[in-house]
Amino acid sequence: MLQFKLVLLGDSSVGKSSIVYRFVKDSFDEFRESTIGAAFLSQTIKISGSNGSSGELGDTVIKFEIWDTAGQERYKSLAPMYYRNANAALVVYDVTQQDSLIKAQSWVNELKNKVGDEDLVICLVGNKVDLCDDDENKRVVESREAQDYAQEQGLLFYEVSAKTGFGVRKIFESIGEKLYET
Ligand code: GTP
Ligand code: MG
């Protein structure tokens, strides 16, 4: 079993805790309370890849130790404690809030300056895509804009919905695969 430390960063109310709860407990709460300080959860997944020297395909178990940080400004100074020594970071924004993408970009800059991206897999995550229905579309951040930015910065990128669960597992699977390869 491989073990990796993963941290979530991003503005308050973008849905960091909701993404973690969807992944760990497969549940969603419309009235989730804002995180105080940080919360710790863990979850394992199986990925398939080549297994040791035999080169045969098999399942590898990956355990994520997840630090869900608080996005409120007053907790900002705690973040380095959680991203230090992290193997992966999910930098989350809300596709219905333009400011949240700007905040996410400033987290990416901070991670690159303080941790360095050789050692850290960074994934940009646009949450709340369930609010982008055709009849009442609240989207303000276009996929293309975020995807171009992610590509330019060498980040993984996914759009997800913690509410419906869309895309959430995929984030952790692709981070797991990327960490496993390196
Ligand atoms: P902080 O802990 O303050 O940093 O916020 P957070 O990023 O952890 O956000 P949280 O998960 O608490 O979610 C904030 C609000 O957005 C809650 O009311 C959630 O129910 C709602 N929410 C989270 N994810 C989604 C989503 O995918 N779709 C919709 N429609 N609402 C969501
Ligand atoms: Mg939270």
Side-chain angles (χ1 to χ4, degrees):
M1 184 173 80
L2 297 170
Q3 210 160 296
F4 296 114
K5 184 177 160 188
L6 181 147
V7 64
L8 285 95
L9 297 165
D11 218 347
S12 183
S13 87
V14 296
K16 298 179 296 300
S17 302
S18 299
I19 289 169
V20 174
Y21 272 77
R22 173 59 72 192
F23 175 55
V24 174
K25 302 190 199 297
D26 201 16
S27 67
F28 177 77
D29 183 352
E30 290 279 354
F31 307 102
R32 174 162 304 289
E33 281 177 22
S34 191
T35 305
I36 295 167
F40 178 80
L41 291 101
S42 68
Q43 175 67 304
T44 57
I45 58 164
K46 274 186 192 161
I47 60 160
S48 46
S50 61
N51 228 349
S53 53
S54 67
E56 281 171 37
L57 286 179
D59 286 337
T60 301
V61 176
I62 293 186
K63 181 179 184 187
F64 287 106
E65 300 196 304
I66 303 168
W67 286 100
D68 170 25
T69 67
Q72 288 179 44
E73 197 60 33
R74 65 183 126 139
Y75 299 113
K76 192 173 177 355
S77 62
L78 299 178
M81 276 197 323
Y82 301 107
Y83 65 62
R84 212 161 37 99
N85 305 320
N87 302 105
L90 297 195
V91 180
V92 184
Y93 68 94
D94 173 347
V95 296
T96 72
Q97 302 289 338
Q98 189 74 43
D99 285 355
S100 72
L101 178 64
I102 293 166
K103 192 62 171 276
Q105 291 169 329
S106 81
W107 279 118
V108 170
N109 291 339
E110 178 164 339
L111 289 171
K112 290 195 168 195
N113 291 332
K114 301 274 170 62
V115 186
D117 44 1
E118 318 81 51
D119 309 319
L120 184 69
V121 173
I122 305 175
C123 184
L124 182 68
V125 178
N127 187 36
K128 308 198 186 182
V129 291
D130 58 281
L131 300 175
C132 308
D133 292 339
D134 287 340
D135 42 336
E136 205 201 346
N137 190 352
K138 298 207 175 82
R139 180 190 286 276
V140 296
V141 179
E142 292 305 324
S143 309
R144 190 78 232 181
E145 179 188 359
Q147 183 156 29
D148 286 350
Y149 166 76
Q151 197 163 4
E152 176 190 299
Q153 298 286 320
L155 317 175
L156 297 172
F157 170 65
Y158 289 102
E159 284 192 341
V160 306
S161 166
K163 184 170 180 175
T164 66
F166 170 80
V168 171
R169 258 197 100 72
K170 188 83 195 97
I171 304 171
F172 293 89
E173 285 168 357
S174 66
I175 288 175
E177 280 162 15
K178 185 140 187 195
L179 288 168
Y180 177 74
E181 285 163 15
T182 53

